[in-house]
Amino acid sequence: MAIRNIVQVGDPVLRGKCRPVEEITPRILTLLDDMRETLAYADGAGLAAPQVGVRRRVVIVVDENDKMIELINPEIIEQSGHQHELEGCLSVPGRWGYTDRPMHVTVRAMDREGNLFTVSGSGLTARAFCHEIDHLDGILFIDHAEECKIETQE
Ligand code: NI
């Protein structure tokens, strides 16, 4: 396993559409392992493959029990409710903004064994699902956040 470099806003890899994973290869498993390690190191709520420079539909979301959920080819299949909360991104350091997101989200994805599963999340977890899946289509939260501001930290 290795900690990978997190790509910053301005890099075109964050703006492309990612390709689906057709087969779980050793390369995909290494990507997942490295993303886990990178996310733990960066202490974020989620990470998408393009953030480590890989244009594949792979994300990891940290749930409310601090468990990392690996999602391959994730799709939102159900959503309800509404929330308007502050959001940030490891690829957009120092900036935060309010986004409109559903309060509850159900995602269907493939796991590392190639099995389809569904997972649901609310609140912060629902935001993380939406935010990370947006990354796979080249969308960043700053594209639709209200009142993005620079957080100054000494
Ligand atoms: Ni992000």
Side-chain angles (χ1 to χ4, degrees), residues 14 46-48 51 87-92 128 131-132 135 139-141:
L14 290 176
L47 189 69
Q51 292 183 276
E87 205 164 304
C89 178
L90 293 173
S91 293
V92 191
H131 177 116
E132 300 312 328
H135 270 298
I139 299 163
L140 300 177
F141 82 97

Side-chain angles (χ1 to χ4, degrees), residues 35-55:
M35 283 175 65
R36 293 180 82 96
E37 198 172 342
T38 305
L39 182 54
Y41 178 76
D43 198 22
L47 189 69
Q51 292 183 276
V52 294
V54 178
R55 291 184 205 255

Side-chain angles (χ1 to χ4, degrees), residues 70-143:
E70 300 175 348
L71 303 156
I72 301 167
N73 301 338
E75 273 181 83
I76 293 170
I77 55 168
E78 252 179 67
Q79 57 182 48
S80 63
H82 174 253
Q83 56 177 322
H84 187 74
E85 294 292 341
L86 261 190
E87 205 164 304
C89 178
L90 293 173
S91 293
V92 191
R95 291 177 70 186
W96 304 85
Y98 283 91
T99 56
D100 286 312
R101 300 288 195 190
M103 181 56 89
H104 311 282
V105 165
T106 300
V107 177
R108 182 173 55 209
M110 196 161 68
D111 66 19
R112 61 163 64 214
E113 269 92 48
N115 302 309
L116 278 178
F117 69 103
T118 60
V119 57
S120 299
S122 299
L124 175 61
T125 309
R127 290 207 298 282
F129 283 140
C130 296
H131 177 116
E132 300 312 328
I133 292 170
D134 273 355
H135 270 298
L136 304 181
D137 293 315
I139 299 163
L140 300 177
F141 82 97
I142 47 174
D143 300 344

Side-chain angles (χ1 to χ4, degrees), residues 9-94:
V9 63
D11 190 311
V13 76
L14 290 176
R15 292 310 198 167
K17 205 170 161 73
C18 297
R19 281 191 302 129
V21 173
E22 268 137 37
E23 200 190 340
I24 310 291
T25 58
R27 210 182 162 97
I28 293 294
L29 296 177
T30 302
L31 172 66
L32 282 166
D33 290 342
D34 288 357
M35 283 175 65
R36 293 180 82 96
E37 198 172 342
T38 305
L39 182 54
Y41 178 76
D43 198 22
L47 189 69
Q51 292 183 276
V52 294
V54 178
R55 291 184 205 255
R56 302 307 294 267
R57 301 190 80 83
V58 174
V59 310
I60 296 182
V61 165
V62 180
D63 74 9
E64 57 271 19
N65 303 312
D66 276 337
K67 188 177 158 240
M68 289 190 190
I69 308 170
E70 300 175 348
L71 303 156
I72 301 167
N73 301 338
E75 273 181 83
I76 293 170
I77 55 168
E78 252 179 67
Q79 57 182 48
S80 63
H82 174 253
Q83 56 177 322
H84 187 74
E85 294 292 341
L86 261 190
E87 205 164 304
C89 178
L90 293 173
S91 293
V92 191

